C-alpha cells in the first residue's frame, strides 16, 4: 500500500527551539502552577487573539466545563446548543448538571441556525452554547440579540476558530466567554491545552479559582475547585508553536485552495463556503457527499479512501444526541439537518506539510468515486 495519509499531523516547532524554551526549567525547577511560561503564553495569546483576558487551561474540555461552572447557572437549567459537534460540548453541559436542548444547524455553515433558536427558549433556559464548527462562525449578531432579549448567557465553543477574526475583531470577544482548544490535532497546539477568553474580571477570578482547587490564599480554600492548570511544558510548546502558526495556516490555505480547484462544481460534492467578513484559519476541509448526485455515499467514499491509505474522518458523526451514553434522552430527528449533514460529511486530510502529490492522490481518490462526471 502507498504511504498512509492521516487526517491531520500535529504542528511541532524545530526541536532545538523547544529545547531552548524549556532549558530554564532545569535551573528553576518550576514546572507548573502558573509559572513564567504560563504567564508569558497568556500575554502572547491575549495579543494574538485580540482579547482583553484569557485563562489558560490543561485542555479545551476543562476550559469549557469550568467556564460554564463559573457562570454559576442554576442546576437543571436548559442550555441551548447543537448536536453537530465534538463530544466535549454536550458533555460539558451535562457534567454541570444542566440540560442540553438541541437546536438544528444551518445547512451551509453547519453552525446553530439562529432562526430556530428563539422558539426553543423556555422559562428554564439559562444559556446558549453555540459552536464555531470548522471555523465557520455562528450568527453572532442574531444569537447575541436573542440572548440579550431573554437574559441568557452565551458561551462559545471556539475550539475550531483559533486566530480568526470577524470584521477585524478576535472571535474570542463574543458572548460572555469563548473556549479555545489547543489539543495536538488543532491548528495551534500546546500538546494538550485550552483557554477561556472573557471580558468580566469577576468571572475571571471565579475561573482562576476553579482551575486551582478553589484556593484563595495559602490558608484559605473557599471554593470547590478542580485542577485544570496548564503546565510549563505545555506553555513552552505554545510559545514555540505560536511563532510557526502563521506558516502553518498559509500551507493549509494552499492545500485548501488546491482541493477547492479540483472539487468545485463536482456533482454531489458540497464544499465549505467562505464567510463574509471572516479571516479564516483553514482548520478543516469538510466536504458533503450527496449520494444521489454523486453516485456513492459518504461511507462508500470513506471506505474507498481508507483502502487507498487515506484516513479522512467522519467528523462529526454520529451526532452527540445519538451517543450511547445519552440513549433515550434525546431525539436526533428533532435536528434533521444536523442528522443529514452528519451522514454526508467527510473531512479531508489537511495540515501544513501535506505534500502536493498527496493532495493530488486524495482528490483523485474522491473524484474516482463520482459516477456522474
Ligand atoms: C477539540 C474540541 C473540544 C475539546 O478540546 P480538548 O482540548 O480536546 O479538550 C471541544 N469542542 C470542539 C468542537 C472540539 O473540536
Amino acid at each position: 500500500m502507498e504511504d498512509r495519509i492521516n487526517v491531520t499531523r500535529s504542528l511541532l516547532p524545530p526541536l532545538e527551539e523547544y529545547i531552548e524554551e524549556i532549558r530554564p526549567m532545569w535551573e528553576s525547577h518550576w514546572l507548573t502552577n502558573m509559572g513564567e511560561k504560563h504567564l508569558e503564553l497568556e500575554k502572547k495569546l491575549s495579543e494574538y487573539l485580540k482579547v482583553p483576558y484569557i485563562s489558560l487551561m490543561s485542555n479545551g474540555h476543562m476550559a469549557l466545563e469550568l467556564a460554564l461552572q463559573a457562570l454559576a447557572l442554576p442546576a437543571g437549567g436548559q442550555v441551548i446548543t447543537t448536536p453537530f459537534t465534538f463530544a466535549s460540548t454536550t458533555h460539558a453541559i451535562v457534567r454541570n448538571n444542566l440540560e442540553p436542548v438541541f437546536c438544528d444547524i444551518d445547512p451551509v455553515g453547519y453552525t446553530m441556525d439562529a432562526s430556530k433558536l428563539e422558539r426553543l427558549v423556555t422559562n428554564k433556559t439559562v444559556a446558549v452554547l453555540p459552536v464555531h464548527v470548522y471555523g465557520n462562525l455562528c450568527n453572532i449578531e442574531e444569537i447575541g440579540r436573542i440572548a440579550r432579549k431573554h437574559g441568557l448567557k452565551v458561551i462559545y465553543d471556539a475550539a475550531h476558530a483559533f486566530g480568526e477574526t470577524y470584521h477585524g475583531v478576535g472571535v474570542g470577544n463574543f458572548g460572555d466567554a469563548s473556549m479555545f482548544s489547543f489539543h495536538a490535532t488543532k491548528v495551534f497546539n500546546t500538546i494538550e491545552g485550552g483557554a477561556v477568553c472573557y471580558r468580566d474580571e469577576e468571572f475571571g477570578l471565579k475561573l482562576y479559582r476553579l482551575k486551582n482547587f478553589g484556593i484563595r490564599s495559602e490558608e484559605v480554600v473557599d471554593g470547590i475547585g478542580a485542577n485544570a492548570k496548564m503546565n510549563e511544558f505545555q506553555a513552552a510548546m505554545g510559545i514555540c508553536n505560536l511563532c510557526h502558526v502563521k506558516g502553518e495556516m498559509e500551507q493549509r490555505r494552499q492545500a485548501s485552495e488546491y482541493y477547492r480547484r479540483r472539487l468545485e462544481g463536482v456533482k454531489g460534492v458540497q464544499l465549505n463556503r467562505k464567510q463574509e467578513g471572516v479571516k479564516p484559519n483553514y482548520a478543516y476541509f469538510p466536504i458533503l457527499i450527496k449520494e444521489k448526485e454523486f453516485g456513492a455515499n459518504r461511507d462508500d467514499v470513506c471506505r474507498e479512501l481508507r483502502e487507498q491509505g487515506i484516513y479522512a474522518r467522519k467528523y462529526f458523526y454520529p451526532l452527540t444526541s445519538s451517543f450511547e451514553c445519552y440513549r433515550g434522552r434525546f431525539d436526533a430527528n428533532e435536528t434533521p439537518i444536523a442528522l443529514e449533514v452528519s451522514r454526508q460529511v467527510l473531512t479531508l486530510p489537511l495540515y501544513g506539510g501535506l505534500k502536493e502529490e498527496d493532495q493530488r492522490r486524495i482528490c483523485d481518490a474522491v473524484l474516482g468515486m463520482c459516477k456522474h462526471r
Side-chain angles (χ1 to χ4, degrees):
M1 198 183 11
E2 291 177 90
D3 288 346
R4 179 183 166 127
I5 306 172
N6 286 320
V7 72
T8 192
R9 194 184 73 166
S10 299
L11 174 62
L12 277 173
L15 180 59
E16 306 70 43
E17 283 183 30
Y18 188 62
I19 290 172
E20 279 318 301
E21 201 58 50
I22 60 173
R23 192 181 294 283
M25 286 182 241
W26 267 256
E27 297 279 320
S28 68
H29 289 251
W30 189 301
L31 309 184
T32 186
N33 284 16
M34 283 58 91
E36 254 175 52
K37 300 295 172 193
H38 184 110
L39 299 177
E40 182 183 339
L41 182 62
E42 245 172 23
K43 185 157 176 296
K44 288 193 159 140
L45 279 177
S46 70
E47 282 162 20
Y48 185 87
L49 297 171
K50 306 183 190 185
V51 292
Y53 299 110
I54 186 167
S55 183
L56 299 183
M57 300 279 174
S58 51
N59 59 61
H61 178 79
M62 285 310 290
L64 189 59
E65 207 172 295
L66 296 187
L68 263 176
Q69 198 178 346
L71 289 175
L73 304 165
Q78 295 176 339
V79 178
I80 303 174
T81 185
T82 51
F84 189 66
T85 183
F86 186 56
S88 172
T89 321
T90 306
H91 288 353
I93 296 169
V94 175
R95 290 169 57 82
N96 268 289
N97 296 315
L98 298 162
E99 182 192 344
V101 171
F102 293 107
C103 183
D104 210 351
I105 62 172
D106 97 73
V108 172
Y110 317 129
T111 62
M112 178 177 283
D113 184 343
S115 73
K116 294 179 179 158
L117 169 58
E118 195 160 18
R119 71 183 75 148
L120 295 173
V121 176
T122 70
N123 58 7
K124 285 167 82 183
T125 310
V126 292
V128 187
L129 204 178
V131 186
H132 299 307
V133 179
Y134 309 130
N136 293 341
L137 299 195
C138 300
N139 188 339
I140 290 162
E141 283 112 359
E142 187 61 7
I143 290 169
R145 188 188 67 76
I146 295 166
R148 272 191 302 280
K149 182 172 157 193
H150 296 277
L152 308 175
K153 299 285 184 193
V154 180
I155 165 164
Y156 281 103
D157 181 332
H160 290 186
F162 181 84
E164 296 194 326
T165 61
Y166 182 56
H167 295 294
V169 180
V171 290
N173 288 282
F174 302 106
D176 295 278
S178 291
M179 173 278 276
F180 290 95
S181 164
F182 310 143
H183 184 256
T185 54
K186 304 295 205 279
V187 175
F188 165 80
N189 83 80
T190 60
I191 310 170
E192 292 265 6
V196 181
C197 298
Y198 58 93
R199 271 175 301 180
D200 178 31
E201 279 185 84
E202 198 61 35
F203 172 86
L205 210 62
K206 274 193 204 146
L207 199 58
Y208 185 89
R209 291 171 53 230
L210 283 172
K211 86 170 174 187
N212 191 29
F213 304 105
I215 295 173
R216 185 177 287 270
S217 66
E218 219 168 300
E219 297 185 3
V220 181
V221 178
D222 61 356
I224 309 171
N227 176 6
K229 305 185 299 289
M230 177 182 283
N231 71 47
E232 292 291 276
F233 287 82
Q234 292 173 287
M237 182 62 84
I239 291 167
C240 293
N241 273 341
L242 198 54
C243 298
H244 298 283
V245 75
K246 195 171 170 214
E248 169 75 15
M249 285 184 198
E250 173 54 23
Q251 289 183 45
R252 286 166 177 259
R253 186 189 67 77
Q254 287 175 18
S256 299
E257 294 305 327
Y258 176 82
Y259 283 153
R260 226 169 245 290
R261 282 198 302 278
R262 295 282 313 272
L263 302 175
E264 191 106 70
V266 174
K267 269 215 182 86
V269 175
Q270 178 177 314
L271 301 185
N272 197 28
R273 205 177 290 173
K274 294 180 182 176
Q275 285 183 306
E276 172 71 25
V278 177
K279 189 185 100 189
N281 64 4
Y282 306 98
Y284 300 91
F285 199 92
I287 61 173
L288 299 198
I289 305 284
K290 311 274 181 181
E291 181 170 10
K292 260 212 203 92
E293 297 93 319
F294 191 76
N297 65 33
R298 186 272 312 271
D299 289 347
D300 297 333
V301 177
C302 188
R303 201 175 313 114
E304 174 59 26
L305 262 57
R306 238 160 239 226
E307 263 164 35
Q308 297 188 30
I310 300 162
Y311 285 72
R313 270 198 60 197
K314 302 176 193 177
Y315 189 69
F316 301 105
Y317 176 83
L319 297 180
T320 63
S321 50
S322 303
F323 284 175
E324 286 294 321
C325 58
Y326 296 127
R327 198 203 300 241
R329 256 173 102 168
F330 310 113
D331 181 3
N333 294 307
E334 285 176 4
T335 55
I337 296 177
L339 189 59
E340 195 182 359
V341 169
S342 76
R343 286 170 175 163
Q344 296 175 340
V345 74
L346 194 62
T347 53
L348 300 182
L350 184 64
Y351 50 85
L354 179 62
K355 295 197 235 66
E356 276 178 42
E357 60 184 88
D358 288 344
Q359 296 169 27
R360 195 173 319 119
R361 229 175 94 195
I362 293 159
C363 291
D364 288 347
V366 173
L367 292 170
M369 293 292 290
C370 181
K371 301 291 186 294
H372 308 294
R373 296 188 65 218

